[in-house]
């Protein structure tokens, strides 16, 4: 173990070849552990300056709950989906007497690491997180788990960490949306997606490809673009629409990107949906504020937040084994509006 890394109960358990639960009992002087074993574990912890997360421990093993604070990491506050998830978390938490401490990663790995460290120092009883776009190392998440802090991912999950997660059915959402575009006459459908290190990006991309294949259309790599925001969509779409074989439909990974396509198409003189069909993914407020209103996949962010908070609190309170990984998938639905035929 590196000197810079704080000692965790998992480290102690590994040292003695015992379970984390046994370490926890020994540190609490439980008579269920032999006096000799207790003394050895306590001495080892003392020598290595072990500091337990007492709040998480007291909440997990006691009906008396003196302080109940959940840490929540949001990639960006300006995104409607993340705000709707937060609304669901706060509503569910308040109903069960918890407070919420919220921080924005601003889509930056370094900031995300510091937030996790801050949450650990502030002894939150659990953390709910959607990882930043550029996060590719996950030690900061594992450190929380090693310190006995329950962790629940939402939306952007980390497959390298054995933690609970709540996601929408990204694959079927994309599959159904692209199928609808095909069934309403589109034969060349461009895909604007997020970086492929994100699990949601892979799932939506696979849904797009499989919908093409199911309907007898060949996948064309030249119609796929890494583009997941309005600014980039307005930058690349003019060239896409000037191509000799231009797309007749667009599927975008979120509503803002889809609206960037819509704005650019209209500015260049294309009629929507007569010339081009466009579908997004979110169903935020902006989807009904554009002209024509946007066809999109509804993500049901509030429901995602409620489920994530419920899982976390159940783990903290001992209703769910904190070592059990709970996976829940929220169904999407296609909302058809004016940008498709």
């Amino acid at each position: 173990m590196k000197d810079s890394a704080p000692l965790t109960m998992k480290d102690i358990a590994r040292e003695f070849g015992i379970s984390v639960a046994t370490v926890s009992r020994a540190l609490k002087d439980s008579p269920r552990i032999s006096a000799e074993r207790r003394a050895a574990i306590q001495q080892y912890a003392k020598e290595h300056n072990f500091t337990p997360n007492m709040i998480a421990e007291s909440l997990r093993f006691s009906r008396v709950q003196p302080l109940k604070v959940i840490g929540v990491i949001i990639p960006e506050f300006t995104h409607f989906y993340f705000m709707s998830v937060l609304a669901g978390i706060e509503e569910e938490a308040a109903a069960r007497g918890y407070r919420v401490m919220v921080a924005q990663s601003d889509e930056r790995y370094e900031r995300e690491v510091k937030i996790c460290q801050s949450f650990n120092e502030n002894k939150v009883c659990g953390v709910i997180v959607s990882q930043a776009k550029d996060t590719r190392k996950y030690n900061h998440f594992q450190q929380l788990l090693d310190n006995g802090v329950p962790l629940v991912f939402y939306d952007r999950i980390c497959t390298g960490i054995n933690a609970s997660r709540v996601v929408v059915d990204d694959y079927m959402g994309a599959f159904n949306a692209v199928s609808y575009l095909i069934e309403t006459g589109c034969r060349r459908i461009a895909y604007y997606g997020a970086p492929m290190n994100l699990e949601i990006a892979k799932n939506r991309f696979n849904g797009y490809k499989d919908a093409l294949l199911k309907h007898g259309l060949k996948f064309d790599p030249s119609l796929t673009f890494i583009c997941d925001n309005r600014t980039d969509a307005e930058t690349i779409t003019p060239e896409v629409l000037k191509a000799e074989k231009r797309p007749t439909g667009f599927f975008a990974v979120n509503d803002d990107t889809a609206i960037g396509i819509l704005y650019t198409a209209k500015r260049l003189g294309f009629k929507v949906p007569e010339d081009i069909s466009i579908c997004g993914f979110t169903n935020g407020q902006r989807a009904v504020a554009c002209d024509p209103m946007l066809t999109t996949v509804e993500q049901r962010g509030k429901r995602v937040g409620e489920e994530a908070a419920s899982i976390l609190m159940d783990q903290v309170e001992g209703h769910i084994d904190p070592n059990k990984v709970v996976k829940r998938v929220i169904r999407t639905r296609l909302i058809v509006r004016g940008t498709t035929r």
Side-chain angles (χ1 to χ4, degrees):
M1 186 179 67
K2 295 181 180 179
D3 293 338
S4 60
L7 186 74
T8 68
M9 283 197 287
K10 189 173 181 180
D11 295 326
I12 300 174
R14 188 183 301 114
E15 177 70 21
F16 285 88
I18 56 178
S19 69
V20 172
T22 300
V23 173
S24 179
R25 293 189 188 103
L27 294 175
K28 293 174 184 175
D29 223 20
S30 170
R32 296 173 60 182
I33 311 301
S34 71
E36 184 180 355
R37 175 58 63 88
R38 271 183 280 154
I41 292 172
Q42 290 171 7
Q43 182 62 29
Y44 183 85
K46 182 178 180 180
E47 290 174 354
H48 291 81
N49 300 314
F50 172 69
T51 303
N53 187 328
M54 296 307 296
I55 292 174
E57 288 293 298
S58 65
L59 284 172
R60 192 173 302 125
F61 297 107
S62 173
R63 293 290 180 182
V64 180
Q65 301 178 349
L67 178 62
K68 302 192 291 187
V69 179
I70 296 171
V72 179
I73 303 179
I74 302 287
E76 53 179 328
F77 284 130
T78 57
H79 199 294
F80 172 85
Y81 175 68
F82 294 130
M83 286 296 93
S84 62
V85 171
L86 180 59
I89 293 171
E90 290 189 319
E91 185 173 303
E92 192 72 13
R96 291 172 61 171
Y98 286 74
R99 293 186 293 124
V100 175
M101 183 185 296
V102 186
Q104 176 184 231
S105 68
D106 197 28
E107 300 287 16
R108 289 184 290 154
Y109 164 76
E110 293 82 4
R111 183 172 175 82
E112 187 177 81
V113 171
K114 291 180 180 178
I115 292 169
C116 286
Q117 292 171 344
S118 175
F119 281 167
N120 197 44
E121 291 166 2
N122 282 280
K123 305 298 184 184
V124 298
C125 61
V127 175
I128 300 174
V129 58
S130 180
Q131 72 175 62
K133 286 180 185 176
D134 65 350
T135 295
R136 288 173 173 80
K137 294 185 291 184
Y138 313 110
N139 293 345
H140 53 303
F141 295 139
Q142 188 61 53
Q143 191 70 55
L144 289 170
L145 292 173
D146 290 347
N147 284 340
V149 182
L151 183 65
V152 177
F153 286 97
Y154 68 93
D155 190 52
R156 302 176 191 165
I157 64 173
C158 174
T159 56
I161 297 294
N162 197 34
S164 296
R165 68 279 309 266
V166 180
V167 296
V168 299
D169 194 343
D170 293 294
Y171 172 87
M172 285 306 302
F175 181 89
N176 291 335
V178 175
S179 292
Y180 181 79
L181 289 172
I182 296 169
E183 290 161 5
T184 53
C186 298
R187 288 295 177 269
R188 286 183 60 77
I189 301 171
Y191 174 84
Y192 283 27
M196 293 299 282
N197 64 297
L198 299 173
E199 199 67 18
I200 62 168
K202 295 175 186 176
N203 291 336
R204 293 179 193 179
F205 180 64
N206 287 335
Y208 160 78
K209 284 204 305 182
D210 287 354
L212 296 177
L213 294 174
K214 182 187 176 183
H215 290 83
L217 299 180
K218 186 178 179 180
F219 169 67
D220 184 350
S222 71
L223 291 175
T224 64
F225 306 89
I226 299 300
C227 175
D228 62 357
N229 60 77
R230 177 170 178 167
T231 300
D232 289 349
E234 291 181 9
T235 299
I236 72 171
T237 302
E239 289 302 317
V240 175
L241 289 175
K242 289 176 185 176
E244 183 178 348
K245 293 183 178 180
R246 66 169 176 80
T248 53
F250 288 82
F251 173 67
V253 73
N254 57 47
D255 286 356
D256 282 352
T257 303
I259 290 169
I261 299 168
L262 171 62
Y263 172 83
T264 303
K266 290 174 63 178
R267 180 170 57 83
L268 294 176
F270 292 94
K271 294 181 180 180
V272 179
E274 292 84 356
D275 299 328
I276 296 167
S277 290
I278 303 167
C279 181
F281 205 116
T282 302
N283 195 33
Q285 296 171 340
R286 294 173 187 172
V288 294
C290 56
D291 181 28
M293 290 190 288
L294 185 67
T295 292
T296 186
V297 178
E298 184 176 46
Q299 279 186 275
R300 301 175 66 198
K302 189 168 183 288
R303 179 65 175 165
V304 170
E306 291 170 349
E307 290 290 330
S310 177
I311 292 170
L312 184 72
M313 291 183 291
D314 282 347
Q315 289 181 325
V316 167
E317 295 171 9
H319 305 306
I320 297 176
D321 183 341
N323 296 314
K324 179 181 180 181
V325 173
V326 179
K327 301 177 182 179
R328 291 184 187 163
V329 179
I330 307 301
R331 290 185 179 180
T332 59
R333 63 172 180 153
L334 182 65
I335 308 296
V336 177
R337 298 195 182 100
T339 57
T340 54
R341 304 184 188 107

